[in-house]
Amino acid sequence: MLKINDIIKFKEKEYVITKFLGQGGMGQVFLIESKDDGHKLALKSLQYFLPNDSNYRSLFNEWEKAQTIKHHNVINYHGFHDGSSSPETPYLIMELANDGSLEDFLKLRMDLLTEDECLNIFHQIIDGMEAVNNTLVHRDIKPDNIFINDQVFKIADFGLAKIAQDKTRSKTFKGWGTEPYIAPEAYRSEKNTIQMDMYSIGHVFYQIAALKHAFGLPDDWEYAHLTATPDSLSSINISISPKVSAVINKLIAKKPSNRYISWDEVRQDLIRSTQNTGSNKSIIDNILGKKLSRDLVKERELTAIQIKEKEHQRKLDILRFQFENEIISPISNLINEFNAVSDNSSAMRINKTSSSGHPSYQISFDEKSISIWFKYINASDSYKFYGNDRWGNQVLHHEQPRLNQNPVLAWGGFESTNGQGFNIVLVASSEDEYGNWYILKNKMSGFSTRNDHRPNPFAFSHDELIKEINLVGAIHIYSTTVTELNINEILQFISTAL
């Protein structure tokens, strides 16, 4: 652990740790001064260090690369100590920035910046990011990692995101950054790209111009990055033209392919956005402003669709889990136990025969079989019939499947070689997202006049269930017994049918 007045040797010079500057993501930051000439530098320690850990070896390799990045808008790395000798705390020596961070600068602002002021900062940051990305992906862009020295903005902490452990950081050792600035694709992939840095910078630019984050302060940052769309920047800061606002919108596009390919493209678009448009400037800005508003509406509509699709897929995953875990898994266990005590010539098999995205299986043994099907309920599974509305007019009604007054989430059927079987129905629960299982045993009733020789009990097909589920308990040609599903009853059916 390093402390004030400690002396360290760096490049044949002795430096004294003279001042504590703050707590960073990786550890403490100190001011150090040369004993020879008083030259000042910054030292950032690596507080969370495990010797010989492969992640830290990787970090030191990145520091080697980071030292090669030399640019006016980048904090210069002078070297590092890997902790393999005394002192045992690794640290990085870097250029000192006297005027704090961009985060500090924005917090002190009382008035919105003008477009010219914003563009001056934007171009400096673009120049710095271009230099950084020519060597590596930063992975942790945020206002705290952009420093200011004599009004020059400098990118810092590149090559450090792999290890930093801020309380706002949601992942470590995987190339993740700080939550308000993480690109949507980072939640799905560990592959680091320049487009991830562009997304983060886009949010930094928005914050510079609006003095607030594009998404405000959401409870769930991941959900915001994946689904939220910001207000038009031009509507928040009226000095920002629609053209500049459009550049920032492209930087924070949710799909990486909709962002820029290079930093020079960003630079050139910003330059073009400020070119003189003569006496028609206000008209052109008005047209572009309306287009920007339409683009935001389309983005919100696309986001709403994506939210619905994501929620739909989530529900399907839960239904699939319940079927596989609570129905198929116990059956598979029975088959495995059976095969463990039988010879190979009398093995029981279960094969998946799914089609159209709905799981189905077939159990086979000794020339006998049981078919199992399962289907998720959607809007097309409603029962359609004509009836009077409140004014006595004949209209087409759509009735979604219900059992015991509760919506049906999914249903299926078991049917043996001789046609005997039953239905399984998964019904919505008021307590959680997981449904409750029921078994439907169907028989011909005494009211039937049909010459129907179906065995008892039998399973309704999917198309039959659409109508018959709503007639359970009614006086009808079929008599259906409904009981809570007991997996042992299904296993007993298998033993009887095979």
Side-chain angles (χ1 to χ4, degrees), residues 181-453:
Y181 308 93
I182 296 175
E185 66 270 22
Y187 290 95
R188 305 183 297 270
S189 169
E190 294 179 15
K191 182 180 178 182
N192 298 304
T193 67
I194 181 177
Q195 279 68 39
M196 287 183 177
D197 280 351
M198 284 184 174
Y199 181 86
S200 301
I201 286 294
H203 277 286
V204 170
F205 284 1
Y206 192 106
Q207 193 168 341
I208 290 170
L211 295 183
K212 66 178 182 179
H213 194 280
F215 300 147
L217 295 171
D219 294 328
D220 186 338
W221 279 107
E222 178 179 356
Y223 188 76
H225 286 300
L226 292 172
T227 65
T229 53
D231 292 329
S232 169
L233 184 55
S234 302
S235 67
I236 298 172
N237 185 337
I238 59 173
S239 77
I240 303 298
S241 68
K243 291 174 286 187
V244 172
S245 184
V247 173
I248 295 174
N249 281 357
K250 187 170 181 177
L251 284 169
I252 61 176
K254 300 198 182 301
K255 292 179 63 176
S257 60
N258 289 340
R259 298 176 207 147
Y260 291 95
I261 295 175
S262 70
W263 285 109
D264 190 56
E265 281 190 347
V266 185
R267 179 186 296 113
Q268 295 306 320
D269 260 10
L270 284 178
I271 291 172
R272 280 191 290 270
S273 73
T274 56
Q275 288 176 342
N276 183 18
T277 55
S279 60
N280 294 318
K281 182 178 185 304
S282 61
I283 296 175
I284 292 172
D285 280 351
N286 181 52
I287 295 171
L288 290 174
K290 288 191 291 184
K291 180 185 182 301
L292 190 62
S293 297
R294 290 194 297 269
D295 289 343
L296 286 173
V297 170
K298 290 178 182 177
E299 181 83 7
R300 291 190 180 99
E301 289 172 349
L302 177 61
T303 296
I305 292 171
Q306 291 173 335
I307 292 171
K308 286 184 179 179
E309 289 176 347
K310 183 179 179 182
E311 181 61 25
H312 177 67
Q313 187 58 51
R314 182 169 173 272
K315 290 179 179 178
L316 290 186
D317 289 343
I318 291 175
L319 296 178
R320 185 179 294 110
F321 167 79
Q322 279 203 261
F323 176 64
E324 298 288 346
N325 186 65
E326 299 172 12
I327 304 294
I328 299 302
S329 182
I331 293 174
S332 298
N333 289 338
L334 168 67
I335 292 172
N336 291 336
E337 291 175 10
F338 177 85
N339 290 336
V341 298
S342 68
D343 56 63
N344 290 334
S345 63
S346 59
M348 191 183 301
R349 301 281 185 257
I350 180 168
N351 297 310
K352 196 166 188 177
T353 59
S354 301
S355 63
S356 304
H358 299 284
S360 58
Y361 290 84
Q362 182 162 329
I363 304 171
S364 57
F365 175 71
D366 193 27
E367 298 184 355
K368 291 188 175 183
S369 66
I370 298 173
S371 297
I372 307 171
W373 64 270
F374 187 68
K375 187 180 187 302
Y376 319 117
I377 299 300
N378 57 44
S380 67
D381 298 319
S382 63
Y383 175 52
K384 302 174 184 64
F385 61 95
Y386 281 95
N388 292 336
D389 61 14
R390 66 176 68 180
W391 297 281
N393 299 317
Q394 280 277 309
V395 295
L396 181 64
H397 294 270
H398 295 261
E399 193 171 278
Q400 286 300 113
R402 302 179 76 86
L403 183 65
N404 298 333
Q405 304 303 313
N406 294 312
V408 173
L409 302 174
W411 54 33
F414 282 67
E415 187 170 88
S416 65
T417 306
N418 66 6
Q420 286 188 319
F422 54 87
N423 293 106
I424 55 173
V425 180
L426 188 61
V427 176
S429 169
S430 60
E431 296 178 358
D432 52 45
E433 293 182 271
Y434 297 93
N436 298 319
W437 288 106
Y438 292 90
I439 288 181
L440 273 57
K441 292 182 179 178
N442 314 297
K443 298 180 181 181
M444 302 302 297
S445 75
F447 296 96
S448 175
T449 58
R450 293 172 51 179
N451 186 20
D452 197 332
H453 301 292

Side-chain angles (χ1 to χ4, degrees), residues 85-114:
S85 59
S86 181
E88 296 181 355
T89 300
Y91 55 78
L92 181 67
I93 303 294
M94 64 183 70
E95 173 188 357
L96 178 68
N98 290 317
D99 301 323
S101 69
L102 175 61
E103 178 78 12
D104 301 326
F105 172 81
L106 295 176
K107 284 181 177 178
L108 292 174
R109 286 290 307 188
M110 300 299 294
D111 301 317
L112 293 171
L113 295 163
T114 66

Side-chain angles (χ1 to χ4, degrees), residues 443-445 450 452 454 458 460 468 476-480:
K443 298 180 181 181
M444 302 302 297
S445 75
R450 293 172 51 179
D452 197 332
R454 301 174 85 163
F458 63 87
F460 288 125
E468 299 300 334
H476 188 45
I477 61 172
Y478 301 122
S479 173
T480 297

Side-chain angles (χ1 to χ4, degrees), residues 54-56 58-59 62 138-140 157 159-165 169 171-176 192:
S54 61
N55 289 298
Y56 290 92
S58 174
L59 175 68
E62 291 218 7
H138 191 295
R139 295 184 297 254
D140 195 22
D157 279 5
L160 307 185
K162 234 179 207 184
I163 203 70
Q165 300 187 38
R169 199 177 310 280
K171 302 281 183 183
T172 55
F173 299 128
K174 294 187 178 180
W176 284 58
N192 298 304

